[in-house]
Amino acid sequence: MPNPIPVILDCDPGHDDALAITLALARPELDVLGITTVGGNSGLANTTYNALRILALLGRPDIPVAAGSDHPLTRKLETAPEVHGESGLDGADLPEPISEARPEHAVEFLRATLSAATEPVTLIPTGPLTNIGLLLRTYPELTARIGHICLMGGAMRAGNWTPAAEFNIWVDPEAARIVFNCGVPVTMIGLDVTHQALMGLPEVDRLRALGTRPGTVFADLLHFFTRFHLERYGSADTPIHDAVAVAHVAIPGLVRTERYHVDVECTGEITRGRTVVDDRGQPGLAPNVDVALGIDRDAFSELMIAAVASFA
Ligand code: BDR
Ligand code: CA
């Protein structure tokens, strides 16, 4: 097997972020160099605490965690307690952390880790893009050290936070704009694909049946996550958005992509945070982003269950 791909997860756990972390740590194709956290689904203190609790659950306190931005580049932070609960990770009895966040800011952790890496590193952002935008703006010379940015955010078609915008891009569109236009290969794992990557009540039962602590915790977390989707969309089948970004890096070919030009609307009165995808064909704007469009639901949910099952 080729050397594992070095990755850094930048996240705001978050139920689906927690599953993304679990998948990344389960997959032999990936080498997780660290986790950086950002204010998003909940405030920064909560998302950092949640990342540390997940690492305790998985028995991986060795993975470095660095806390980053507690608010977007130019805006006030908007959180999502109606989706993830007040803690950002409501619904399960998680262990207390057995490790601490590093003293330096996430951007400094990213700078040092990218500089020290022997090959370009893949960034997997699954929250608002504030940390990554800040990194690219502060240390533009580091773009050469980033091999790929595979981000969960955006949508080619409908949004989820507003009719136009997906949550992560809505929260910090200015940071997203920097990232989409940075020149590094970018993959957009947007709602078009994540709404095909579903887990629901049968998967809750399968996770519980594993009979392990991680199995029970993720059954409870998934059950909590399904309740919001049942109320909002009328189905307990729930998109596990963030884990799709990890799955795409680990398993090439699982996600179908097409290359288009994408930019971010920052100032629109009713379209703020929209990822504007040019799929008109020729003549069009030069493609800059691989846009994810399809995934096999069963293959995805099997991958997720196997990932949780790999932890005792
Ligand atoms: C994104 O928003 C958050 O609530 C999820 O964690 C995911 O990253 C989906 O729109
Ligand atoms: Ca997230």
Side-chain angles (χ1 to χ4, degrees):
M1 177 150 106
N3 287 341
I5 302 165
V7 302
I8 299 175
L9 312 180
D10 180 67
C11 58
D12 61 340
H15 295 70
D16 51 337
D17 301 83
L19 282 160
I21 291 169
T22 305
L23 181 61
L25 291 173
R27 295 304 308 186
E29 300 88 348
L30 305 182
D31 177 15
V32 180
L33 303 181
I35 296 176
T36 52
T37 55
V38 65
N41 288 323
S42 191
L44 180 70
N46 281 348
T47 60
T48 306
Y49 175 59
N50 292 341
L52 293 167
R53 290 199 297 169
I54 291 295
L55 292 177
L57 174 73
L58 301 176
R60 295 301 306 269
D62 55 302
I63 300 289
V65 173
S69 311
D70 61 2
H71 60 84
L73 292 184
T74 64
R75 300 169 187 270
K76 208 166 156 286
L77 177 64
E78 197 167 325
T79 59
E82 55 274 68
V83 186
H84 298 275
E86 285 300 331
S87 72
L89 204 48
D90 276 12
D93 181 20
L94 280 151
E96 287 302 309
I98 50 175
S99 55
E100 288 182 5
R102 297 177 64 97
E104 71 270 31
H105 190 281
V107 170
E108 288 309 310
F109 173 81
L110 285 160
R111 180 194 58 73
T113 308
L114 292 173
S115 305
T118 52
E119 59 181 293
V121 173
T122 292
L123 303 183
I124 309 182
T126 58
L129 287 155
T130 318
N131 288 339
I132 310 303
L134 211 49
L135 173 80
L136 294 167
R137 205 172 61 180
T138 313
Y139 301 113
E141 68 278 10
L142 287 178
T143 43
R145 312 290 310 151
I146 305 170
H148 178 196
I149 300 176
C150 184
L151 63 92
M152 192 281 134
M156 186 160 167
R157 306 228 146 72
N160 60 359
W161 203 248
T162 72
E166 179 280 329
F167 176 77
N168 289 338
I169 309 296
W170 163 266
V171 171
D172 198 343
E174 287 76 17
R177 191 159 216 208
I178 293 170
V179 173
F180 277 97
N181 290 295
C182 74
V184 171
V186 170
T187 302
M188 177 173 106
I189 304 290
L191 300 175
D192 315 282
V193 69
T194 67
H195 278 258
Q196 302 169 46
L198 304 169
M199 295 174 79
L201 298 179
E203 286 76 23
V204 171
D205 291 342
R206 286 184 66 190
L207 289 168
R208 201 173 303 289
L210 293 174
T212 59
R213 177 112 196 251
T216 304
V217 166
F218 278 109
D220 291 342
L221 288 175
L222 180 59
H223 190 233
F224 181 92
F225 205 31
T226 61
R227 275 185 259 168
F228 167 79
H229 289 83
L230 183 59
E231 280 164 29
R232 174 68 62 90
Y233 298 104
S235 166
D237 286 347
T238 299
I240 312 298
H241 309 279
D242 296 341
V244 183
V246 172
H248 179 57
V249 177
I251 303 168
L254 181 68
V255 171
R256 182 175 65 81
T257 63
E258 290 194 20
R259 215 166 152 66
Y260 294 120
H261 184 274
V262 184
D263 208 340
V264 180
E265 176 59 80
C266 294
T267 55
E269 199 183 332
I270 55 173
T271 54
R272 161 188 157 190
R274 174 133 198 93
T275 43
V276 179
V277 179
D278 184 3
D279 65 344
R280 297 171 301 163
Q282 296 301 326
L285 298 164
N288 62 339
V289 171
D290 290 309
V291 178
L293 295 173
I295 189 169
D296 181 311
R297 172 185 175 164
D298 292 340
F300 174 76
S301 65
E302 289 305 321
L303 194 66
M304 295 311 302
I305 303 246
V308 177
S310 71
F311 293 94

